[in-house]
Amino acid sequence: MSQRLCLILFGPPGSGKGTQAVLLRDKLGFAHISTGEMLRERVLLGDELGQRVARTMKTGALVRDETVNKLVEDRIELPDAAKGFILDGYPRTVQQATLLDGALRAKGIGTVVIHLKVDYNIIIARLSGRRQCPACGTVYNLPPDTLPEKQVCSKDAERLIVRADDAPETVRERLRAYEVQTTPVLEFLKSAGYRCFGIEAGARTPREIVAEIEGLVEGEFGAAA
Ligand code: AMP
């Protein structure tokens, strides 16, 4: 199978898109494109755009479509995305989906949409236990009673931090943004003719979920995908 492929991982914040994207990247040899990560990198640059993005992300609202679209347009042209790429957290608005749809069609990229379905109560519990290593970026889901001295990265022993946008009031706004701006994207993609698969992702292990996704991709595009 030589066609270039795109996997769109769709789902609310905390549904496991990032975890699945990393597992799929390693198995399929595709690029992992996370708009959240790219925006956090921009924030670290500290330039004018980075500062503006930081202010928006802190509230839990979505960053402007023009900013995110440009990041993705440039990113999918990099060599590591030549075989295929996994979109994690994009598109999040119908405007973004419209632009992506045009690019996917123009480039003849085969596309599957995977919708990770997770109950909101599970999401809120997950996000409140989510920590990240400030050095290597590894994400951990800690049980609620984890002692502070145990909250260190197993790879480089850095003390783990709470992402600014995982604070409870920001999480509420992120879920609201998902409901209002992002859920219509799934309908848009379906009516544009994309194959969309819903996967129960609440109570299963990441490995079980990734195996199901791989099976779906294989069913659509063949084993060499
Ligand atoms: P994430 O890590 O994907 O949960 O994204 C964290 C934050 O980055 C979101 O709450 C938004 O503020 C911003 N963000 C990430 N992806 C997008 C996108 N596709 N469109 C607009 N804002 C985004």
Side-chain angles (χ1 to χ4, degrees):
M1 154 56 66
S2 58
Q3 190 189 10
R4 199 175 172 208
L5 300 184
C6 167
L7 289 190
I8 300 177
L9 293 184
F10 187 89
S15 57
K17 300 188 294 294
T19 304
Q20 287 304 315
V22 169
L23 293 171
L24 288 162
R25 174 197 67 193
D26 294 345
K27 288 190 173 226
L28 302 172
F30 289 4
H32 170 199
I33 302 182
S34 156
T35 43
E37 278 306 318
M38 285 195 284
L39 291 167
R40 281 186 283 280
E41 280 165 18
R42 190 74 207 202
V43 167
L44 289 180
L45 271 186
D47 59 1
E48 203 187 318
L49 177 61
Q51 290 175 19
R52 210 170 341 118
V53 166
R55 284 195 293 276
T56 306
M57 286 174 81
K58 246 198 185 125
T59 66
L62 295 184
V63 172
R64 286 157 49 98
D65 288 330
E66 296 69 25
T67 305
V68 184
N69 285 337
K70 178 79 176 82
L71 287 176
V72 174
E73 269 178 323
D74 293 347
R75 180 66 184 84
I76 63 178
E77 296 309 329
L78 295 186
D80 67 334
K83 180 179 174 200
F85 52 92
I86 302 156
L87 294 176
D88 158 11
Y90 182 92
R92 257 171 153 111
T93 65
V94 170
Q95 207 265 21
Q96 292 175 17
T98 306
L99 185 112
L100 177 68
D101 175 41
L104 293 171
R105 285 180 200 280
K107 295 174 199 291
I109 299 173
T111 305
V112 193
V113 182
I114 307 289
H115 176 199
L116 298 175
K117 301 202 284 191
V118 183
D119 185 272
Y120 274 17
N121 291 323
I122 296 179
I123 285 171
I124 290 165
R126 265 189 200 172
L127 291 179
S128 65
R130 184 156 82 173
R131 300 288 183 279
Q132 190 166 29
C133 173
C136 70
T138 303
V139 174
Y140 294 83
N141 292 306
L142 302 180
D145 49 359
T146 308
L147 296 169
E149 58 268 32
K150 300 263 181 209
Q151 300 189 16
V152 289
C153 180
S154 60
K155 295 182 183 155
D156 51 30
E158 280 285 330
R159 183 158 292 280
L160 303 178
I161 57 165
V162 178
R163 257 171 49 182
D165 56 353
D166 280 344
E169 54 296 352
T170 312
V171 165
R172 271 193 295 278
E173 175 54 29
R174 287 166 68 199
L175 289 174
R176 203 192 65 80
Y178 176 76
E179 270 300 318
V180 175
Q181 290 165 280
T182 306
T183 52
V185 168
L186 196 58
E187 279 318 306
F188 172 89
L189 292 171
K190 281 181 189 162
S191 52
Y194 291 94
R195 297 273 283 153
C196 300
F197 298 94
I199 291 195
E200 286 306 329
R204 297 159 69 211
T205 66
R207 304 233 161 249
E208 285 167 355
I209 298 167
V210 82
E212 187 174 344
I213 297 175
E214 267 191 292
L216 290 170
V217 174
E218 238 176 78
E220 287 295 298
F221 297 108

